[in-house]
Amino acid sequence: MAETNRLYLDVTGLGCYRRKATPKWYQDLSERQRWEAQARFWDAVAEVCSASPAVFCYDLMNEPIVTEDRQNRDWTPGEFAGMCFVQRLTLDLAGRSERQIAKTWVDTLVQAIRARDHRHLITVGAIPWALTFPGAKPLFYSPGVGAKLDFVSLHFYPKRGEVDKALAALAVYDVGKPIVIEEMFPLNCSTTELGEFIDGSRKLATGWLGFYWGKTIAEYRQGKRDIAASMALDWLECFVRKTPEIVGDRKSTRLNSSHESPP
């Protein structure tokens, strides 16, 4: 479908968004076994997708974190609205640093993909912890850890009245790689403020992705709207307005990456 409609896919893998849908056998695996299963997943995906012009990138995992939980063995902490967006890479640090664990995990999965696909880009969708904890430094995009990742992917939900704070957090991830705002939505701020964030981020970001739930602007306008639908409509209209401005800014920009981007 994506190839037919000339769409690019940000293929995000290894989601365990719904606890009830996650197999018990997968939850019970050791760290080594879990990583092996994850590598096998990406090996299979990359084998099928390697020749596809529809693939923009492979996102190894949505919002991985490196914290331990030896007692409860909870791989997916921080449930939000019934969904588990965050996922641990380990349950036991076992004397290793966060960077050591993150690097080994990234290298393991990148190797699985590159054995099948040397063409498409690879990234990790990260929470910008500098937005929550002043002074926080990148983990997956720190020197060494993210050496094999092709660009920086960040998820930003600025708070009302804190656009400048969000832009300051974004600057922390200016590590010499292209930056893509992989998630954004006016969840905690107004659409106007999110638009200001987009405008302010143009000096650093090379791409922006936003939420779309399958209904067009016309469908939202024609139907009855609750608060959620009104927010979605407002956001889509904002995104459409911003798109030609962003494209215009980027016409003369050429990005360099360790792998060619899709044609």
Side-chain angles (χ1 to χ4, degrees):
M1 184 185 296
E3 291 174 354
T4 300
N5 290 280
R6 299 182 62 80
L7 299 175
Y8 286 146
L9 300 176
D10 179 338
V11 183
T12 304
L14 306 177
C16 293
Y17 302 115
R18 297 175 178 84
R19 292 183 187 275
K20 292 183 178 179
T22 303
K24 185 177 184 300
W25 66 261
Y26 185 57
Q27 295 294 78
D28 291 342
L29 293 180
S30 67
E31 175 190 297
R32 179 184 60 80
Q33 293 170 329
R34 192 174 174 95
W35 290 12
E36 288 175 352
Q38 293 171 353
R40 188 174 300 130
F41 168 87
W42 278 118
D43 173 82
V45 171
E47 182 180 17
V48 172
C49 295
S50 60
S52 175
V55 175
F56 163 56
C57 70
Y58 302 115
D59 181 340
L60 299 182
M61 180 184 286
N62 183 74
E63 300 180 348
I65 59 173
V66 184
T67 60
E68 60 183 5
D69 186 3
R70 287 175 286 182
Q71 182 175 355
N72 297 319
R73 290 187 53 83
D74 186 1
W75 291 98
T76 52
E79 186 173 312
F80 176 75
M83 303 281 280
C84 299
F85 298 101
V86 175
Q87 188 172 162
R88 286 190 172 98
L89 300 186
T90 185
L91 298 176
D92 186 352
L93 299 182
R96 300 165 295 175
S97 70
E98 294 180 355
R99 289 193 178 190
Q100 287 174 324
I101 293 171
K103 174 176 172 51
T104 304
W105 178 79
V106 167
D107 290 352
T108 298
L109 299 195
V110 169
Q111 182 179 1
I113 291 174
R114 290 294 175 229
R116 301 286 189 179
D117 186 344
H118 291 278
R119 177 188 182 201
H120 294 114
L121 306 174
I122 301 176
T123 190
V124 171
I127 300 172
W129 291 112
L131 183 58
T132 305
F133 304 108
K137 301 298 182 182
L139 174 59
F140 292 96
Y141 299 106
S142 60
V145 174
K148 295 183 179 180
L149 300 176
D150 296 302
F151 65 95
V152 176
S153 293
L154 298 171
H155 301 172
F156 268 94
Y157 299 88
K159 292 184 178 180
R160 188 177 300 275
E162 296 185 0
V163 171
D164 289 343
K165 183 178 178 181
L167 292 173
L170 174 63
V172 173
Y173 295 83
D174 184 14
V175 296
K177 292 178 182 285
I179 298 175
V180 171
I181 309 300
E182 191 186 33
E183 284 187 20
M184 59 180 177
F185 188 74
L187 183 65
N188 301 311
C189 67
S190 67
T191 302
T192 298
E193 286 177 307
L194 187 57
E196 293 172 358
F197 170 75
I198 294 173
D199 292 339
S201 68
R202 292 187 194 183
K203 294 179 180 179
L204 294 177
T206 58
W208 297 259
L209 281 69
F211 279 94
Y212 176 66
W213 287 275
K215 292 184 67 173
T216 66
I217 289 176
E219 289 171 332
Y220 275 121
R221 287 175 177 171
Q222 294 168 3
K224 294 183 178 180
R225 297 193 297 273
D226 56 14
I227 294 177
S230 297
M231 289 178 61
L233 172 60
D234 196 28
W235 159 243
L236 290 177
E237 290 175 333
C238 174
F239 192 81
V240 168
R241 289 195 302 270
K242 291 294 180 187
T243 299
E245 298 174 10
I246 293 169
V247 171
D249 283 351
R250 295 299 171 188
K251 280 184 178 179
S252 61
T253 300
R254 181 177 179 180
L255 299 180
N256 293 318
S257 177
S258 58
H259 301 280
E260 67 175 69
S261 59

